[in-house]
Amino acid sequence: MHTLASPSTNYLNRVRPSLNRFGSTQTRGVVTVKCGYGFDYANFTQSYGVGSSRADWQSSCAILASKVNSLQDNGHSNSGNGNENNHVTAVNGHNATVTDLQLVPIGNNKPLPPKPLTITDLSPAPMHGSQLRVAYQGVPGAYSEAAAGKAYPNSEAMPCDQFEVAFQSVELWIADRAVLPVENSLGGSIHRNYDLLLRHKLHIVGEVQLPVHHCLLALPGIRKEYLTRVISHPQALAQCENTLTKLGLNVAREAVDDTAGAAEYIATNNLRDTAAIASARAAELYGLNILADEIQDDPNNVTRFVMLAREPIIPRTDRPFKTSIVFAHDKGTSVLFKVLSAFAFRNISLTKIESRPHRGRPIRVVDDESEGTAKHFEYMFYIDFEASMAEVRAQNALAEVQEFTSFLRVLGSYPMDMTPWNSTSPSQRGD
């Protein structure tokens, strides 16, 4: 243990208050300093060339400070080469060797409390090069899985049995993103997901448009003449109604949760009288044969998916952006014209208008003394428009919309999907 020769009495009296603050003892003219963070006693003697001057006192303190830095830089190398003592280089011309410092609070042998958990400890955000966890509704082979792969290549797809579960998986940090359908060019809007967008606090961070290619699937060896029913998602059944009739399949149609789930159900239960409408990839995954390909009534069958995240993205102006909003008004739908004029005045194109019942107050009653009582249905309005929230015209439009509405929420401002459709692309066919 190294000792530090005591300075002059006057100087010691001046510094004693600060020494007492850390804990100190004085024996036979030698001051022993105990550092506040639990360093070992560090005593310096004249043998190390430290005199009684103020400069020497400060030099000795500098040695202590440099010891902390040397522990951080050399801790691993010293433990590997067996050298138990760290050697500090000369400070102000004085060479000294200081023993290892034990970082233990003074007079407290209790272990340090654990660091509080943060949200990053519960589920670390994906680092560069790691896979995103993307939730989708359905089972492997679903069109939503293909959309998730198009939106986030090389991601880890996480199937969910319901749309609600996909929303919750992102909110609970089980998944990083969700890719869910909101509309189809033939079947129209998927109302369930519009309602969930309002119920949950996720943000739209992108969109992807996926051409849909339906196939008629059955067990190996089964022909169309043997079939008594066709099962699939309601949207798929509606999109293939006319083609099924042309194929002579005047059989029962039954709806299930998703297209790939229908294929899995047939394979699992060995149903020889049932066919499914699903993708070619579903046929490959579940060992089914394709009885007919491209059975959708319209070749321009495209489903639009939105990408959801816990945090919004920063809107930009260097590429085409789309913004989605939802609003309502206490006085009903009379405000709709004023809202639309806010966009028309600024030459902002609308790509979608959707109305959904106002679940909080579905009916508004208006009493009129001369005409009696009128009952009006109340609606929430969803609008997509082609502009980024980084643009001044979009900001001004929403500022005007806010004056006319009692409720306004921006669901997201995100890049538009500008990729060309390739009808022969295996990834878009779900293959």
Side-chain angles (χ1 to χ4, degrees), residues 108-113:
N108 184 6
N109 295 326
K110 296 180 180 180
L112 294 175

Side-chain angles (χ1 to χ4, degrees), residues 397-414:
L398 289 191
E400 184 175 343
V401 169
Q402 194 169 18
E403 297 178 1
F404 303 139
T405 59
S406 59
F407 169 79
L408 173 64
R409 176 180 163 192
V410 177
L411 298 174
S413 188
Y414 48 91

Side-chain angles (χ1 to χ4, degrees), residues 29 48 51 59-60 70 73 81 117-118 171 200 203 211 223 225 281 300 312 326 351 361 369 371 382 393:
Y48 286 92
S59 298
S60 302
S70 87
D73 297 335
N81 58 21
L117 290 177
T118 64
E171 289 181 325
H200 295 270
H203 302 268
R223 297 188 299 181
E225 293 79 10
R281 171 170 166 77
N300 296 317
V326 57
T351 60
R361 42 175 300 180
E369 295 181 357
E371 299 182 3
Y382 295 81
R393 59 173 184 157

